[in-house]
Amino acid sequence: MIADPARSPAVMAATGTCHHCGEALPAQPHMAALGGGTHAFCCHGCAAAAEWIASADLDGYYRLRSANAARVGEDLPDLAVWDRADVQAEHSRPVDGGREITLLTDGMRCAACAWLIDRALAREPGVIDCGANAVTGRIRIAWDPARTALSAPLRRLAMLGYRPYLAGSEAAERQRTRERRRWLLRLGIAGLGMLQAMMLAEALYLDFNSTMPVPTRDFFRWLTFLLCTPVVFYSGWPFLSGAMRELRERRLGMDVLIASSTLLAYFASLFETLRGGPHVWYDAAVMFVFLLLAARMLEQRARAVASAQVDALARARPAFATRERADGQREAVPLAALSVGDVACVAAGEAVPADGVLLGGDGDEAWFEEALLTGESEPVRKQPGEPVYAGTVCRERPARLRVTLTGTATRLSQLARLVEQAQAHRPALARLADRIGSRFVLALLPVALVVFAGWWHYQPERALEVTLALLVISCPCALSLSVPAALATAHGALARIGLLAVRADAMDTLARATDIVFDKTGTLSDGRPVLAATQVLDASLDAAAALDIAAALERDSGHPLAAAFTRGNAAALPATQVQAVPGRGVQGMVDGRHWRLGRADFAAAQPDDGALWLGDGQRAAARFVLEERARDDAAQALAALRAQGLRVHLASGDGEAAVRRMAAALGLDDAHARQSPEDKLALVRRLQAEGRVVAMVGDGLNDAPVLAGADVSIAMGEGASLAHRAADLVTTGGGLRRIPAAVTLARATQRIIRQNLAWATGYNLLALPLAAAGWVTPWLAALGMALSSLIVTLNALRLARLKTPTEAP
C-alpha cells in the first residue's frame, strides 16, 4: 500500500489536525512524544491509542494507512455486558479451544486498519484467532473464555477507535461464512487442477513430431484425467446443478451451455484417451471451470460491495441498551429485552437502541447524528417530545427517551428491508437479457451442429475441437452479467446517497424522465409551518380555544401543516370521527360539536384566500395564516435538475398566494395552486399525453394517487406510509439534493448497461466466426469468455465510484 503524504504527521501538525484521526484540533490539543517526535491529538482517547500503537511496535500503521482512523473519544463504552452468558449464547458459537464471534465496526476504513486490528488482537491474552476484513467491516474473534473475558479484546478494539457492533443473525453469518469457504475451496481446487493439467498438456503439445512413446503419452493423459475429474464435478458443481435446474424448468440458460461445454470436453477427452486418439481437451475443461468460477465470484463480490448499505444499517444497531428501572436505577439489557413504554438512556457517542420520544432532563434538548438514516451531514437538534430513531447517534450530552417501537418495527429495520428488497428486484431489462441469452443458447446449438458437420466433412480430426471452442467462446456469460452487475452496484450507490428503489424498473424510468412534478408542503418546503396570525371570527371563542380545536382535529393527521397547531399543544382536546378530505381539509367532532379545518370554501363557505379556516362548513369561526419556508437545499436541487434538462413543475393543494410565494422564491415558472389529488393526476396525464416521461415527488396522503399514476415517483422519507407504498423510490431523509444525484446515477447506470450489452453482443458476433473458422483453440476460447465477463463486471463497478454533480446532504 502506498502511504498518503497528505496524511503525514508533519502535514497534520501544519494543518491543525489530529495525528490519529485527522479531525480538527481543539484550542488546547493533547500532546504526546512518539517515534522521536511530538504529535498533537484532538482528545485523550486518540493520544492513548497512538501511544499504545507505538509501544506495541505497530506504528507502521500510520505510514501504511490511506484513510484517517476513527476518533476514539474521551470515554470508552461499557463492554461488560458482552460477557453475559445469554448474549454469548445467542451471538457466538463454540470452536476448538473456546468460542468465536463475528462483529462489525464502522471505523475500519482501509487495509491498514485491518492490519492493525489483526496484530493488536493477536497480542491480547486468550485470543486464539482473529481476522479483520476492510471491505465488509467485519471482525472475527476466537477466544478462550477460561483465559480471558470477551470484553478484554473488545476493549482493546474500542481503545483503538474500532467500536464493536453486532453483525446480525449468527446463523445467517455462519451460513455466509460456510458458503464463502465452499466457493474458495472450489476455486482453489480448480486453480490447482488447471495449473497441473496445463503443465501436462504443454508436454503433449510440444511433441510436434510424435516422438513421445505411446505409454508415456497415455500416462500423461490418465494423470490429467485424474486431475480434471474433481475440477469438473466438484468445482464445476454450481454450473452442473444450475443446468439441471434450468432443464427441469424447461428453459435453456447460461448454465446449460457451460455444463454441456465442460462435459463435452471432459467426456470427449476420456473417449480419446480410451481409444488412443490424437487429441484430448482436459486442459480446456479445467480452464473453463476455473475462469468461470473466478468470474462468478467476482460478480458475487460486486454484489457484496453493493450491499454494504445493509451492513451499514446493521452497524447502526447497538448491541445493548441501557434501561431505566422504576426505582431510577439503570441496567444494561440485550436489545431484545426492550419493550414499548420503557425508558432508555443513551450516553453521548452511543447509538439509540429503539425508536422513541425524547424525554426532558439531562439538559432537555439533545443532538443526534442521523446521517445513516436521513443523509443529514450535521447533527440534528431535538426538543423533548420530538421523535428519535434507532441507529442515530447521540452527540454532546446524554439523552433519555420513551420507547415507542422496537425490533423489526423501527425505522432502521424498515430501511434495511427496503434495501434488501431493492437489491432482489429483477427489472424488465434484466429479464430481457435473460431471454436473449436463452434464445442465443437455443440458436447456438444448431449452429454448433452445422459447424461440426462441416469440419467433419473437411477435416474430421479437428471437428470436435472446433465445435468445443465455438461452444466455449460463445457462452453468453457477459450478456447475462451485463444488467445484474450494473443494477447491483447502482442500488448500493443509490442507497448511499439516501434513496431506496422499491420498484423493479424505477432506475430505468428515472433515467428517461423529462419532467418532474413537485408537491409543495413537506416536499419543497421544510415541513415546519409556522402560525403567523390568528383571527377569531366567532364571539364564543377566543384565540386559545380556536387553537385547541384546530390542534384536536390535526393531532392525528399526517399532513405537515398539522405541526403548526400540535407543536407545543400536547394537551389538545379529544377529537372523534376525524376524517381527512383529500385536497380540502379535515373534519370531526370536538367537544360535542362538528368542526371543519381547511380551505375557506370547505370549512366556512367563504371565498378562497389562501389561509386556513376553522368553521362548521357554513360559518367561519377562525382564520389562521401560516407561513412556510423552502428547504435549505431546494433552490440548488431545482437548479441541478434544470441543468440536467428536466422541466420542473409545482402542483400543490395550498392557496394561490402561498404557492405563488414558493414559486417565486425558487424560480418556478409552472406552478399550480389549489390542486386536488385528481387535479395533480390530471396534470401528470396531460404531460404524459404530450409524450413526456413524468417523475413525481411528494410526501403526503393526498399524493398517493399521483405518485401511483406518474411514470416514476419519489416519496419523501418523512411522508405518509401510503405514499411510500405508492412510490417507486423512497428517500431516507428530507434533503432534495439527493434527487438530481439519483437522476445522474440512473442515467449513468443506463449508459453502463448499454455499454455492457454492446460489448457482450459485439464480442459474441466477433467470436462466433473466428471459432467456426478454427482460429481459436478451446483453452483460448475459455480465456476469451472469462475476460469478456471480467470486462462487464469491472465496467459495472465504476458506478460505485461515480461522482454526482450534486452531493446528497
Side-chain angles (χ1 to χ4, degrees), residues 613-633:
W613 289 70
L614 176 69
D616 59 7
Q618 300 298 322
R619 294 182 303 276
R623 179 177 177 270
F624 305 105
V625 178
L626 303 177
E627 290 183 355
E628 284 187 283
R629 296 174 301 173
R631 292 183 186 270
D632 294 338
D633 61 353

Side-chain angles (χ1 to χ4, degrees), residues 136-446:
T136 63
R138 293 176 182 270
I139 303 172
R140 179 183 53 82
I141 303 174
W143 82 102
D144 181 0
R147 295 176 56 200
T148 183
L150 175 60
S151 57
L154 296 188
R155 194 171 293 110
R156 178 64 63 199
L157 283 177
M159 186 272 286
L160 294 175
Y162 307 105
R163 292 200 175 195
Y165 302 92
L166 289 177
S169 168
E170 183 61 31
E173 178 63 26
R174 285 199 300 270
Q175 178 62 30
R176 281 195 295 268
T177 301
R178 283 196 298 267
E179 188 67 18
R180 184 167 58 249
R181 289 174 176 171
R182 190 179 299 117
W183 275 85
L184 286 173
L185 180 60
R186 293 186 197 279
L187 184 66
I189 290 175
L192 184 62
M194 182 191 71
L195 291 175
Q196 298 300 320
M198 293 290 290
M199 182 178 66
L200 293 170
E202 187 167 353
L204 296 174
Y205 287 145
L206 293 177
D207 184 25
F208 299 116
N209 300 318
S210 301
T211 56
M212 181 182 292
V214 172
T216 303
R217 183 201 66 181
D218 289 345
F219 173 74
F220 281 177
R221 287 182 175 182
W222 282 111
L223 189 57
T224 309
F225 164 76
L226 293 176
L227 291 168
C228 183
T229 299
V231 174
V232 170
F233 294 102
Y234 176 72
S235 297
W237 179 249
F239 309 114
L240 300 179
S241 61
M244 290 187 290
R245 183 171 58 254
E246 289 176 352
L247 292 175
R248 282 197 301 269
E249 296 170 358
R250 298 185 179 182
R251 63 184 179 92
L252 295 177
M254 183 175 65
D255 283 345
V256 168
L257 187 57
I258 293 172
S260 58
S261 301
T262 305
L263 293 177
L264 176 63
Y266 176 80
F267 285 112
S269 299
L270 178 59
F271 177 74
E272 292 293 295
T273 300
L274 289 170
R275 78 180 188 93
H279 299 291
V280 291
W281 304 277
Y282 292 118
D283 56 327
V286 293
M287 180 179 284
F288 196 34
V289 171
F290 173 77
L291 294 175
L292 277 169
L293 273 177
R296 189 158 290 189
M297 287 190 70
L298 183 62
E299 179 202 359
Q300 290 176 347
R301 178 153 180 106
R303 290 180 181 273
V305 171
S307 301
Q309 184 73 5
V310 178
D311 272 351
L313 292 170
R315 281 197 294 273
R317 182 185 62 180
F320 312 100
T322 301
R323 183 171 60 190
E324 187 175 278
R325 299 201 304 249
D327 59 5
Q329 298 299 312
R330 298 180 177 184
E331 59 178 348
V333 297
L335 211 59
L338 272 186
S339 303
V340 174
D342 285 347
V343 174
C345 303
V346 187
E350 289 188 355
V352 177
D355 289 1
V357 176
L358 185 64
L359 299 176
D362 290 328
D364 290 338
E365 71 174 24
W367 294 81
F368 293 88
E369 186 178 292
E370 298 183 346
L372 184 63
L373 269 71
T374 68
E376 298 294 338
S377 57
E378 298 295 330
V380 178
R381 183 174 65 181
K382 299 280 187 177
Q383 299 287 350
E386 291 190 317
V388 178
Y389 301 110
T392 59
V393 179
C394 183
R395 293 299 184 196
E396 308 304 331
R397 57 167 62 101
R400 297 166 63 250
L401 64 138
R402 179 80 62 186
V403 175
T404 57
L405 294 171
T406 63
T408 58
T410 63
R411 180 184 177 89
L412 176 68
S413 297
Q414 292 170 357
L415 289 179
R417 284 197 301 273
L418 283 175
V419 174
E420 291 168 349
Q421 291 168 7
Q423 293 168 352
H425 282 158
R426 295 284 296 168
L429 198 57
R431 295 193 297 270
L432 176 63
D434 287 345
R435 287 197 299 271
I436 292 174
S438 179
R439 291 172 183 173
F440 180 83
V441 173
L442 186 62
L444 182 63
L445 294 179

Side-chain angles (χ1 to χ4, degrees), residues 515-595:
D515 293 66
I516 185 164
V517 180
F518 282 91
D519 176 45
K520 181 178 73 70
T521 305
T523 302
L524 288 178
S525 70
D526 61 7
R528 296 182 178 181
V530 177
L531 186 62
T534 301
Q535 180 183 4
V536 179
L537 304 173
D538 188 333
S540 65
L541 295 176
D542 57 17
L547 284 172
D548 284 343
I549 295 170
L553 291 171
E554 289 281 16
R555 180 173 50 196
D556 298 322
S557 169
H559 197 278
L561 290 178
F565 298 99
T566 58
R567 189 179 296 119
N569 195 351
L573 296 171
T576 58
Q577 302 177 28
V578 177
Q579 178 185 6
V581 181
R584 296 173 66 83
V586 63
Q587 60 184 357
M589 299 293 294
V590 179
D591 206 12
R593 186 175 171 184
H594 180 77
W595 291 99

